[in-house]
Amino acid sequence: MKDPQTVPASSPESTNPTQIYKPDSIGLMIPGAEPKPEPVPYGTDVQGRYFDGYPQIVKVEPSEAHYGLRKEKDVMVTMRDGARLAVDVYRPDAEGERFPAIMAYGMWGKDAQEAIEWNADKLQRYYDSPLWDGSMEAGDFTYTVPRGYVHVIPDPRGVGNSDGEAIRPDTVHHTGDIHDLVEWIAAQPWCNGKVAMMGPSSYSWSQGEIAQNDPPPHLSALRPDEMIYWAGDQFHGIYDTLGYHIVYGRHGNDSTPPPSNRPVMPPSSMLMKHLPKELFQARVAEALDNPDYKYNTKWYSALRYPMKSSWVFDTLLDALHPMPMESRAHKMTLPMYVGTPWASRLYIWGTFHVYEKAGTPSRDKKMIVYPPGFPPRPHTSYHDETVRWYDYQLKGIDNGIIDEPPIKMFVMGINKWKFENEWPLARTQWTKFYLHPQGQLSAEPVQPTREVDRFTQPAAYIDSTVYCLKYQSEPMEVDMEITGPVACHLEASIDIDDTNWMVDLIDLAPDGSRQLLSTGYLKAKFRALDQEKSKRWQPVHPRQEPVAVVPGEMNLYSIQMMPTANVFKRGHRVELVVRNQDDLLSRLGNWGVYMLPFMRTVTHTIHFGNSHLLLPLVPRAAG
């Protein structure tokens, strides 16, 4: 280790040696976990059952492919302020018939989405393909249209062939435009007056925005995947660079949002407009002097040149002084079927938050949780679920989907699917696994002791190696299922005024292979808890001014982790990894999937007694 900080001789020694964090040795995807439905006859008792595929209670068969496809390109639709949006319409080739419509409204450009016609049978798996392009998300119109739906893909304002200023990802999802487009679609001679929306990421962002902001009367239902929802109950204070890399084409083989084909003014900084000049200048000066930015020229440059990306400029400043944000998920009342993969960073917390908090009547609110890692692109997976959902919501076909329990999820470890009735599960047995000296993890309590564990993480510009501590349980004597929210509570101290805490939950097999189940993050300066919102399995940290840590002082760091579902099979171990950095040289790091590195050398000390991992154990399911 270069430039290590030594532990004073009088201090208790660690009995758990520091290890090198090697994320490439931890499984992200699950080989063979391909999406496939499993029909279940109506009336079958599904309580406590596992299924090989995602289960579908079938009362009536779904819509079949009966129609040819007609395409209308660059239909110009006038918005309320006179701006015109370019729209592509894919509809059944059936003159005089009216159909429900599905709109995919996102920032990636409608013309690129045509590639679904020749790529739908050449799906690119996330992480395993150099051609995986996350922006191919507007859905497979070659699947929906033959089954009796109009599929509409617009260029939002400022994108491609539409009018408008250059885009910012946080403003392109213009609710006025979405409202006007929905009502335009409903009034067309080929539409029966019922309009829905679908799609992941940017396409889900637009669904969330319109759902909580006076949705138009003809918007009937939603199907958002990988839900981006920034005002949820998950705030950890560490700058996640993934959003930047998605927008600027460094995530996998992602494209970038196409700017307008018309001359436009560059987008401006919102903070530059709204903060008092002196405060704004002080915030910029503080950011430029922050080690996390100044020693990483990619981000220093973004601050020096705000118009490179005014959105990134604003989010970098906001990361140091986060502005309060209140969730408006309760205002969402439309029927919705949300979906997310496990362990998906930006998206899983947003999806679960919206599912739990939305004001949609329980009968019209469903969630599906896919195997870990993003589904293949182009976005064609689970379209049969989308059509079943809209056959019921838009066509009134009582096909069985509304009778299903509201949640269906993939269970890792055994790689099967199941239904659940609520979240968290009512039968959960919340169980503490305590951190013990010598790297042990056990449900047996540990008495407070002078023994501690330490690891020092040098600043990344000194040493790019990522160091960690690992804690492992004894091998499972019987299969153990965990399904639900996960939290890690660490009693710890550091030798400077801040750090980034990162923790991973891993299924460790007897052969040494590891599968990632959940990760959690917390910047030490944002350790304060929202006592009213927090639960022991779901600590909530308010977006507020940072509070420096007193060096050497022991604090409780309560870290919300990603929810998960896994069966630790007999002989497997529970492993907890405690670290400070993502590995930027790993495969994921090279894909732009990492948190902003902490650019100061810091020593972390873990204390024993109440440091524990809280796991949602559930009774053994049948089947």
Side-chain angles (χ1 to χ4, degrees), residues 238-249:
I238 305 174
Y239 190 80
D240 191 341
T241 69
L242 180 55
Y244 171 92
H245 291 129
I246 288 172
V247 173
Y248 292 98

Side-chain angles (χ1 to χ4, degrees), residues 284-345:
V284 173
E286 177 191 6
L288 290 169
D289 196 45
N290 185 290
D292 293 359
Y293 300 155
K294 71 184 293 184
Y295 294 120
N296 190 329
T297 53
K298 178 175 185 173
W299 309 104
Y300 184 79
S301 176
L303 289 167
R304 276 298 188 191
Y305 307 103
M307 293 306 101
K308 282 182 67 173
S309 174
S310 62
W311 165 68
V312 172
F313 177 84
D314 284 350
T315 55
L316 286 171
L317 291 184
D318 181 73
L320 302 182
H321 297 276
M323 294 181 291
M325 297 174 63
E326 289 299 322
S327 172
R328 295 177 294 171
H330 63 281
K331 294 186 177 182
M332 302 179 185
T333 59
L334 288 168
M336 64 173 65
Y337 189 172
V338 300
T340 182
W342 293 119
S344 58
R345 292 180 76 112

Side-chain angles (χ1 to χ4, degrees), residues 567-583:
V567 172
F568 290 91
K569 300 180 74 172
R570 184 174 180 271
H572 287 228
R573 301 173 188 257
V574 181
E575 180 174 83
L576 177 70
V577 176
V578 181
R579 56 190 173 89
N580 159 274
Q581 304 267 353
D582 282 328
D583 183 357

Side-chain angles (χ1 to χ4, degrees), residues 152-178:
V152 180
I153 308 175
D155 274 342
R157 188 180 297 243
V159 173
N161 292 330
S162 292
D163 295 339
E165 296 183 357
I167 66 171
R168 287 168 50 106
D170 55 340
T171 60
V172 68
H173 308 92
H174 193 287
T175 55
D177 290 348
I178 298 171

